[in-house]
Amino acid sequence: IPVTKKLEDATVESMICDEVVMMTGSLGGEENADRTDWFDAVKGCKSISRLATLTQYFISNVNDLLVRIKGERDILDSVLGTKGKKSRTNKKKHDSSTPVWCNASVTNKIVKCKVKGYPWWPARVCKALDTKVEESLEEGGYTLISFVGEPNMYVVSDNEVKDFAEDIEEDYSQWDQSIMDNLHESTKMARKLWRTQNRGVASPWEKKSKQRFEEEKKTAR
């Protein structure tokens, strides 16, 4: 085997110390650490300097997160007109691929939605916990959603939301392979969630597969 091939296949250990990896888990986690690792790191502090370092890192992360959240909330407010005067042009200007934020809970309702720059994608409907935001969403004809398997929230028009089991004709040739791979994984997760919520009910995909099988049998005769 060529040396270059061996190098490509080799697993390279992270050169980042465990403490730094744990720091990345302070808010939400990442590939190599989550909040549990962060808690363990804080509890294991045996010196003021170590605790101070972890605390400073946490504060830095919080500041970055709060700036992002504020920006995403401002975008939502501009779309819904929940701050200042409503603009009739807000809906036209809104880019559904821009993440938004508000205090919300993710519901068990699974749908397919059309976000700009993506094919129809499995998502879960989110419910705004702020009454004013929830009412503005309903009045504006918007739905708050989160892609299955992803943390960001988006606001889309109600007519860009379909039942998850609905068949939607779409030309997938326009999308690159990475998007299609992510769509495949998200769809697998969404179907698993659907089956969990509908135990004992035959899935619509099984019914469609049987119908296609029967049609192919008739054609073959």
Side-chain angles (χ1 to χ4, degrees):
I1 302 175
V3 174
T4 53
K5 179 62 177 173
K6 289 182 178 179
L7 290 173
E8 289 174 1
D9 294 341
T11 300
V12 180
E13 294 295 331
S14 173
M15 297 182 69
I16 302 175
C17 67
D18 290 342
E19 285 80 1
V20 174
V21 173
M22 288 177 184
M23 287 177 184
T24 62
S26 61
L27 289 172
E30 57 100 63
E31 185 179 357
N32 298 311
D34 59 21
R35 287 189 297 175
T36 302
D37 296 309
W38 167 257
F39 294 152
D40 290 341
V42 173
K43 290 177 181 177
C45 285
K46 296 181 180 179
S47 68
I48 295 297
S49 60
R50 182 183 174 93
L51 179 61
T53 300
L54 292 175
T55 302
Q56 184 58 45
Y57 191 91
F58 177 78
I59 292 172
S60 176
N61 275 4
V62 166
N63 287 337
D64 292 342
L65 180 61
L66 290 177
V67 169
R68 178 174 65 80
I69 285 176
K70 183 182 183 305
E72 293 178 357
R73 178 55 194 263
D74 287 345
I75 291 170
L76 180 62
D77 286 333
S78 71
V79 174
L80 302 179
T82 43
K83 277 190 179 179
K85 296 180 180 179
K86 285 189 178 181
S87 170
R88 295 180 181 179
T89 59
N90 275 347
K91 191 170 183 179
K92 293 180 181 178
K93 291 180 179 179
H94 173 54
D95 180 351
S96 61
S97 66
T98 304
V100 299
W101 184 90
C102 71
N103 189 16
S105 61
V106 181
T107 71
N108 289 325
K109 186 175 181 180
I110 305 172
V111 297
K112 286 179 182 175
C113 67
K114 190 70 174 73
V115 169
K116 183 181 178 181
Y118 295 89
W120 284 89
W121 206 280
R124 296 173 72 173
V125 174
C126 300
K127 180 176 177 57
L129 301 181
D130 184 321
T131 304
K132 186 177 180 181
V133 172
E134 184 66 16
E135 290 175 351
S136 296
L137 285 165
E138 292 179 7
E139 291 172 5
Y142 289 112
T143 300
L144 195 63
I145 61 92
S146 178
F147 283 162
V148 171
E150 295 187 18
N152 291 335
M153 287 190 294
Y154 303 90
V155 61
V156 298
S157 297
D158 289 344
N159 59 9
E160 293 175 327
V161 178
K162 306 289 184 184
D163 187 88
F164 178 62
E166 184 174 336
D167 259 339
I168 301 174
E169 293 293 330
E170 185 168 13
D171 177 15
Y172 291 107
S173 63
Q174 62 181 304
W175 308 109
D176 62 37
Q177 192 57 48
S178 62
I179 287 181
M180 293 308 300
D181 289 343
N182 289 336
L183 175 60
H184 178 67
E185 289 302 313
S186 186
T187 301
K188 280 171 57 179
M189 293 174 64
R191 288 184 175 182
K192 187 175 181 180
L193 285 170
W194 189 94
R195 292 188 186 99
T196 301
Q197 296 171 9
N198 297 273
R199 295 186 185 279
V201 179
S203 74
W205 311 285
E206 292 174 1
K207 293 177 182 177
K208 289 167 187 173
S209 297
K210 289 178 181 178
Q211 288 174 357
R212 290 194 189 100
F213 178 71
E214 292 298 329
E215 290 172 0
E216 289 172 1
K217 279 177 64 177
K218 291 177 182 178
T219 305
R221 289 174 184 172

